[in-house]
Amino acid sequence: MSHHELDARRLLCPMPVIKTQNQVNTLQQGDTLTVICTDPGALNDIPAWCRINGHAVLETREEGHEVRVTLEIGEPSIAL
């Protein structure tokens, strides 16, 4: 299990979520990812995406003008 960071600064909705999805697709179950954004909507959008897709949100926080969301990759979804 490893930790990764995704720089999604200066991207507006829906790009932080799309970039997060793309990065998550390259990771393994149990890996963690911290997404760093400047779009304040990501504070709600990324956790909502995680709930829908079976990933755990470990932490959300605001640091100045940046939002950080750390998530743990869940089981891969099975396409039907």
Side-chain angles (χ1 to χ4, degrees):
M1 292 180 220
S2 57
H3 180 73
H4 305 268
E5 282 194 359
L6 173 62
D7 183 353
R9 293 176 183 105
R10 295 178 302 283
L11 298 176
L12 298 176
C13 184
M15 290 310 296
V17 174
I18 292 170
K19 294 280 190 179
T20 299
Q21 177 176 317
N22 292 343
Q23 181 73 32
V24 164
N25 287 338
T26 69
L27 303 178
Q28 300 295 316
Q29 181 180 356
D31 285 354
T32 57
L33 174 66
T34 297
V35 184
I36 305 163
C37 307
T38 50
D39 177 3
L43 196 58
N44 295 314
D45 296 342
I46 293 173
W49 178 86
C50 287
R51 282 189 299 277
I52 291 167
N53 290 282
H55 308 296
V57 176
L58 303 178
E59 180 180 36
T60 59
R61 63 186 162 142
E62 294 182 73
E63 293 181 352
H65 297 290
E66 293 183 349
V67 170
R68 291 179 178 258
V69 180
T70 301
L71 55 115
E72 182 177 350
I73 310 308
E75 291 186 38
S77 59
I78 300 172
L80 299 175

